[in-house]
Amino acid sequence: MLAAALAVTPIANAAIPWFDNNKQETPSLAPMLEKATPAVVNISATGMKQNKQQIPEVFRRFFGQNAQPRMQEQPFQTAGSGVIIDAKKGYIVTNHHVIADTDEILITLKNGKQYEAKKLGSDSETDVALLQIEAEDLTDIPLADSDKLRVGDFAIAIGNPFAIGQTVTSGIVSALGRSGLGIEGYENFIQTDAAINSGNSGGALVSLDGKLIGINTAILGPHGGNVGIGFAIPSNMMNNLVKQIVEFGEVKRGVLGISGDNIDAGIAKAFDLSTSQGAIVRQVFEDTAAQEAGLKPGDAIISINGKAVNSFFELRAKIGTMGAGATVKLGVIRDGDKITIPVTLRESKGDNIKASVIHPALEGSELTNGKTQDGQAGVEVKALDKRSAAAAIGLQQDDVIIGVNRQRVENLADLRDKLEDQNGIIALNVVRGRSQLYLVIR
C-alpha cells in the first residue's frame, strides 16, 4: 500500500526539451550547456590609475601648508566574464565596469586559448561594453527575445565567479523590469535567484534552450556575497546598444523629451485610468521628439512597439537604449481612449541623468559629463531645482564637480563610484566659473 501511495506518473520525455533519452537516464542541463558554455569567456584586464600620495603633516612645514599631494600611478587588474555574440566577427559583450580605464584586455576561452581583445566601445550608463578578438572556430550564443520572458522561467547563469574558473548556476526569473536601484543610469533589469557573485559580471544568463536572455551585471547582498538576488541586462536592451557601438563606435542615445512618473493606484484613480502600470507624462519639453509627435501632459504610456511598459523607469531605459533616429510606436491612453503615437527619437545632447540615482543629497539636479572653463573634465550641473536637496547643499547650475573627498572625479561613472565608497561627511570639490570651493554633504 505504501509503495502504491508513493507511485508517480512518469513525465513524457518529449515534454522536456533538455532530456536526452539516448544518453541520459534523468533530465539534465548538460546537453544544452555543452553548446552554450564555450561561448562564455573569462576576462582579465589591466591598467594604471592615479592615486594621491599624501604629504605627512610632519613634513608640511617644509613644503608649506598648501602643498598639494603628489599623483602616483599604480597598476590595477580586474577580472570578469564575457559572452561571444558573433563568432565570425569575434564580438564579445561584457560589462563596462569590467574593462573601464584598462589598457590591456586578455580573453581566455573555455578551451584555455588566450587572445588580446580590442575595445570597440562602451557605455557607462547602461554598463555595456563591446570587445573584439581575432580567432577562428569560436562559438556564439543565439539571442533570445527578452521581452517574451515571464516570471518563473528557468534561468542559468554562466561566468567566472571569484576567478576560480567557469561556473554554472541555475534558478528562475524572479522579477522583470527592476529599476530605481541606483546601480546604473538606465535600469530595466531581469532579477534572478541563480547564484551570481563577483567575477560573474559580464557573463551569460541563458534560457533552457541555450539562448542568451541577459548579461549578468550586479547583485544585492552584504559584502558582495550572493543572497539570491542578482540582476542582468536584458538581451534586447544589450543588442540595441551593441548595434549602435558597431555602427558609430559609441552609443547615440535616443530621447523622447518628457518628464513623468510611474503609474500607481493613486495616479490611476486621479487620472481615471483602467490600469495601474505604465508611465504618466508630467511634462513635454519644447522642441523635442515628444512635442513633434504630439504627446501631451496627462498621457499614459502603456506600451512600446506593442510590448507592455510597467513603469516610467522601464520606459526611460528602453527609450534610452534605442538609437537616435529610431521610430517607436507608443501605446497611449488619452481621455479614456487607447491610441498609438509614432515617435522618431532624437539624439541626446549629453548623458544627462537625474542625480538622485547617484546620491539622495543631489536630488533635484540634472548632471552630465562636462568640463570647466580651463578644460578640466568633471560632472556639470546642467539643470537645478532651486527648492531641491541639491540646491540646499549649495550646488548651482553650471557648477562642475571635479572631486569627492579630495579624490579626482572626471565623469558620471567616477562620481557614482566615489560616492558609493564614502561614509559619513562628504566634501564635493566644485569649480564655479574661475573659482574652486567645497560643498559639504552631512
Side-chain angles (χ1 to χ4, degrees):
M1 293 294 293
L2 181 61
L6 294 178
V8 295
T9 302
I11 299 175
N13 296 347
I16 307 174
W18 29 272
F19 184 93
D20 189 334
N21 191 49
N22 295 321
K23 298 180 181 179
Q24 307 287 341
E25 293 184 357
T26 56
S28 174
L29 295 173
M32 178 274 286
L33 290 170
E34 287 169 359
K35 297 178 181 179
T37 52
V40 181
V41 304
N42 294 346
I43 297 177
S44 175
T46 58
M48 300 291 291
K49 62 181 178 181
Q50 289 191 336
N51 288 327
K52 287 183 179 178
Q53 188 178 37
Q54 299 293 337
I55 300 174
E57 284 296 327
V58 69
F59 295 120
R60 280 191 176 272
R61 60 177 174 164
F62 296 105
F63 299 105
Q65 290 299 315
N66 295 323
Q68 296 296 313
R70 292 172 54 192
M71 301 303 294
Q72 186 177 44
E73 282 197 337
Q74 291 184 339
F76 72 95
Q77 183 171 348
T78 64
S81 307
V83 185
I84 302 172
I85 61 167
D86 190 320
K88 291 182 180 180
K89 296 180 180 178
Y91 289 163
I92 297 172
V93 172
T94 186
N95 286 142
H96 167 83
H97 74 260
V98 172
I99 51 84
D101 302 319
T102 57
D103 303 315
E104 296 182 1
I105 303 170
L106 186 66
I107 302 296
T108 304
L109 305 183
K110 187 185 178 185
N111 61 16
K113 292 182 179 180
Q114 293 186 324
Y115 302 90
E116 289 188 6
K118 177 172 65 175
K119 188 190 304 182
L120 297 183
S122 66
D123 181 42
S124 62
E125 289 304 299
T126 53
D127 206 12
V128 167
L130 182 64
L131 312 176
Q132 186 177 36
I133 60 174
E134 293 185 7
E136 296 181 353
D137 300 323
L138 294 175
T139 299
D140 55 26
I141 294 183
L143 300 187
D145 183 352
S146 55
D147 286 335
K148 293 182 179 180
L149 285 175
R150 299 174 300 169
V151 172
D153 284 348
F154 286 105
I156 298 93
I158 311 171
N160 181 29
F162 302 110
I164 62 173
Q166 192 176 91
T167 301
V168 176
T169 57
S170 65
I172 63 170
V173 174
S174 305
L176 295 166
R178 284 293 192 220
S179 58
L181 303 172
I183 299 171
E184 309 300 343
Y186 294 85
E187 297 179 342
N188 180 32
F189 292 122
I190 301 166
Q191 181 182 324
T192 181
D193 64 345
I196 296 174
N197 288 286
S198 178
N200 273 104
S201 292
L205 191 68
V206 301
S207 58
L208 282 184
D209 58 356
K211 292 183 178 180
L212 185 68
I213 60 177
I215 300 296
N216 300 324
T217 296
I219 57 174
L220 188 65
H223 315 299
N226 172 63
V227 293
I229 303 177
F231 301 102
I233 300 166
S235 58
N236 288 0
M237 184 170 165
M238 175 275 294
N239 194 37
N240 286 335
L241 296 163
V242 165
K243 287 178 180 178
Q244 295 170 55
I245 292 173
V246 169
E247 185 173 356
F248 306 111
E250 62 180 350
V251 172
K252 290 190 175 293
R253 208 177 309 285
V255 292
L256 262 180
I258 64 170
S259 65
D261 292 299
N262 299 333
I263 295 176
D264 56 21
I267 287 180
K269 183 178 180 180
F271 284 85
D272 194 24
L273 299 173
S274 58
T275 178
S276 57
Q277 291 184 321
I280 194 77
V281 177
R282 186 171 58 195
Q283 182 179 2
V284 176
F285 299 109
E286 292 185 4
D287 191 27
T288 60
Q291 185 185 55
E292 184 179 24
L295 277 173
K296 297 180 179 180
D299 283 348
I301 301 173
I302 57 172
S303 69
I304 299 177
N305 294 335
K307 296 173 181 177
V309 170
N310 296 313
S311 67
F312 183 76
F313 289 116
E314 183 179 351
L315 172 71
R316 181 177 180 273
K318 287 188 173 182
I319 291 295
T321 53
M322 293 178 180
T327 298
V328 298
K329 294 181 179 179
L330 300 180
V332 172
I333 299 177
R334 178 183 293 170
D335 299 327
D337 296 325
K338 290 184 179 180
I339 59 175
T340 299
I341 299 178
V343 183
T344 300
L345 304 179
R346 296 191 184 180
E347 185 176 350
S348 172
K349 300 300 182 183
D351 289 333
N352 293 17
I353 66 170
K354 289 190 179 297
S356 57
V357 304
I358 295 179
H359 194 282
L362 301 178
E363 185 172 3
S365 64
E366 191 172 297
L367 306 179
T368 186
N369 295 330
K371 291 183 178 180
T372 63
Q373 291 182 16
D374 60 1
Q376 287 188 79
V379 175
E380 182 181 352
V381 180
K382 205 64 179 166
L384 182 74
D385 183 343
K386 294 182 179 180
R387 297 170 295 179
S388 66
I393 66 170
L395 271 179
Q396 295 182 13
Q397 188 169 329
D398 299 326
D399 281 352
V400 180
I401 302 169
I402 61 168
V404 172
N405 286 4
R406 306 185 73 176
Q407 299 179 62
R408 187 75 175 89
V409 165
E410 294 187 348
N411 51 46
L412 287 163
D414 273 355
L415 181 61
R416 179 186 290 111
D417 291 343
K418 298 296 188 298
L419 289 175
E420 284 179 352
D421 294 338
Q422 303 300 327
N423 293 313
I425 294 177
I426 297 172
L428 297 181
N429 188 5
V430 172
V431 174
R432 182 174 294 163
R434 294 288 183 182
S435 303
Q436 282 197 39
L437 63 149
Y438 280 93
L439 303 177
V440 176
I441 301 174
R442 298 183 181 275

